[in-house]
């Protein structure tokens, strides 16, 4: 290497003096901050691979900053300047490699494969090999206060840095589209941070050299501290990553670093006191800001956690409910057989198959038969509830002569209407078609609407049965002038076993009817709903699409 150190130092001295305040202000705090953040993250995340890489980044960066500072301060010691300046690019290239390494491990959550490690460090070895040669720095021209560098070498370094930056961007963009939403946000922040830092580092240096305005290089250094801080935060708080918190902490830290750095170059005591007060205020308000953002995030996380727990509890309840329905179905199924047997035995007893009974015995047997019929109905209703709940309702559409079908139902309900002296109004066409419907379920539904209307209407009230067939749809409604359903309970009325508060303790019932009716109508592609006003009356509606027999 040639040395070119004329003795005229004045030009260089002037430049150094011009920037000396800024030099300390930018270099010392940024080197220290980066170094301490690196150590803090290392301990906080218990020496994880990511924290080790980050520590290496902060170490190399601090090293680079200190070396850079030494060159500035000892510009007149020619051999020292040459010795430090020559290998400085090795550190900056190493910084890029470490950032790439960080990106990989951050996204992939595992170490790099050995061959990728080798490949990614090839440009570094080229830089190292070129360091002691003329391809690197040939001289330091103190008259101009610039280094005499080989342009091949300097452009090689720029391209290498751009190459690594591009590698980081392409890899992150590719990965961005393959991960979940939550992780995407982290990748975006991390990569943006790294790239802004690396490129600002590259261009700040380049700009400073091109324009001889050295403030650019110094400003570039502050960005680094913030980004090392952000990356460190990403590692430490990996699970509770939150951009708001990072932003507020980064803001406060950089503010504190900037204010404290002023101590390096203020010479006046009043200014020292003022800066000290500013520092304390910034610290107090900064801590308050970070704390309140943290509290807000914690509260949000608590709510999110509660929501997850609530969902789990809900899932468990649903599963328990399903098991209960399963059990209900099994029990009802087991009960159905003996109840039917008892019913038929009572029938044959009443028919005199087992010998004649006296009047008293007949009356008792009749009551028993009535109760057996009720019990059988209840058991079959429970079985239906469990089937609907488990989505196992089995419909068996069959040809149904609607004239006969409705006549039968209205006949069954007749005695109750007479008993309660109700004014029963029937509106229906004289002739009705034969259609395909599930007889048992449809009958249960219409019967339920009618028996409820009768049951919940006081003596002497009015019940209207209205039936129409329009455009292949059966529309049926049953209105009454009964007790009605309280408004606030109307949303629950189709629920399993739900009984409104105004009838719960006064009228008998089990709350299964409407649940099964709605399930049966919807199972056949229809709709069921109601309108009601408490104390005035209720109207239940059904709509069933019909398929006439013989028509496709
Ligand atoms: P149940 O009648 O055996 O109680 P349902 O499932 O048939 O069971 O009805 C559920 C609830 O809906 C009833 O308990 C009652 O509160 C309300 N309800 C149904 N029909 C009427 C009606 N016509 N008038 C007033 N309330 C009704």
């Amino acid at each position: 290497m040639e040395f070119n150190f004329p003795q005229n130092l004045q030009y260089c001295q002037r430049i150094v003096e011009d920037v000396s305040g800024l030099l300390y202000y930018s270099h010392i705090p940024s080197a220290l901050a980066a170094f301490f953040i690196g150590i803090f993250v290392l301990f906080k995340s218990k020496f994880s691979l990511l924290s080790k890489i980050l520590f290496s980044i902060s170490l190399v960066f601090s090293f680079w900053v200190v070396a850079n500072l030494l060159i500035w301060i000892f510009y007149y010691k020619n051999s020292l300047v040459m010795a430090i300046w020559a290998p400085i690019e090795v550190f900056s290239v190493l910084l890029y490699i470490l950032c790439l390494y960080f990106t990989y491990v951050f996204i992939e959550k595992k170490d790099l494969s050995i061959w990728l490690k080798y490949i990614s460090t090839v440009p570094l070895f080229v830089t190292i090999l070129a360091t002691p040669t003329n391809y690197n720095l040939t001289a330091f021209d103190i008259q101009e206060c610039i280094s005499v560098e080989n342009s091949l070498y300097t452009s090689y370094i720029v391209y290498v840095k751009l190459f690594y930056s591009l590698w980081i961007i392409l890899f992150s963009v590719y990965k961005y589209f393959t991960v979940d939403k939550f992780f995407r946000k982290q990748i975006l922040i991390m990569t943006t941070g790294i790239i802004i830092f690396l490129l600002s580092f590259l261009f700040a240096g380049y700009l400073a050299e091109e324009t001889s305005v050295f403030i650019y290089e110094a400003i570039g250094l502050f960005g680094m501290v913030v980004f090392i801080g952000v990356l460190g935060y990403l590692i430490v708080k990996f699970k509770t990553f939150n951009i708001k918190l990072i932003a507020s902490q980064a803001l406060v830290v950089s503010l504190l670093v900037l204010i404290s750095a002023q101590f390096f170059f203020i010479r006046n005591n009043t200014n020292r006191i003022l800066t000290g007060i500013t520092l304390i205020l910034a610290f107090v308000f900064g801590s308050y800001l970070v704390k309140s953002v943290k509290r807000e995030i914690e509260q949000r996380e608590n709510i999110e956690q509660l929501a997850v727990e609530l969902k789990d509890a809900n899932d468990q309840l649903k599963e328990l409910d399903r098991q209960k329905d399963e059990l209900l179905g099994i029990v009802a199924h087991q009960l159905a057989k003996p109840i039917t047997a008892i019913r038929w035995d009572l029938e044959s007893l009443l028919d005199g198959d087992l010998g004649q009974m006296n009047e008293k015995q007949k009356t008792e047997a009749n009551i028993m038969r009535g109760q057996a019929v009720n019990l059988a109905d209840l058991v079959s209703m429970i079985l239906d509830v469990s089937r609907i709940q488990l989505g196992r309702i089995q419909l068996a559409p069959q040809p149904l002569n609607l004239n006969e079908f409705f006549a039968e139902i209205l006949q069954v309900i007749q005695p109750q209407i007479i008993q309660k002296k109700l004014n029963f109004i029937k509106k229906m066409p004289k002739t009705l078609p034969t259609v395909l419907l599930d007889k048992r379920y449809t009958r249960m539904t219409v019967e339920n609407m009618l028996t409820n209307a009768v049951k919940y209407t006081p003596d002497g009230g009015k019940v209207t049965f209205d039936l129409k067939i329009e455009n292949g749809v059966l529309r049926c409604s049953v209105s009454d002038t009964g007790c009605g359903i309280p408004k606030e309970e109307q949303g629950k009325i189709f629920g399993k076993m739900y009984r409104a508060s105004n009838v719960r303790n006064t009228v008998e019932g089990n709350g299964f009817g409407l649940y099964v009716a709605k399930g049966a109508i919807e199972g056949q592609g229809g709709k069921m709903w109601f309108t009601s006003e408490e104390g005035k009356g209720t109207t239940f509606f059904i709509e069933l699409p019909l398929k006439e027999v013989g028509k496709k």
Side-chain angles (χ1 to χ4, degrees), residues 450-464:
L450 283 164
T451 40
N452 277 351
V454 173
K455 198 159 71 168
Y456 298 115
T457 304
D459 290 6
K462 187 166 110 181
V463 171
T464 311

Side-chain angles (χ1 to χ4, degrees), residues 448 452-453 455-456 480 483-485 493 498-500 503 509-514 538 540:
N448 180 261
N452 277 351
K455 198 159 71 168
Y456 298 115
D480 61 56
C483 62
I485 301 167
I493 222 70
Y498 191 82
R499 305 203 65 224
V503 301
N510 52 41
F512 285 136
L514 282 180
T538 307
F540 271 89

Side-chain angles (χ1 to χ4, degrees), residues 12-47:
C12 221
Q13 191 178 6
R14 221 177 42 242
I15 289 187
V16 174
E17 269 169 11
D18 273 358
V19 294
S20 72
L22 189 72
L23 266 186
Y24 294 115
Y25 184 41
S26 61
H27 285 61
I28 296 175
S30 49
L32 283 177
F35 181 71
F36 286 119
I37 292 173
I39 290 198
F40 173 76
V41 173
L42 196 63
F43 281 94
K44 188 89 187 180
S45 66
K46 301 190 183 78
F47 292 82

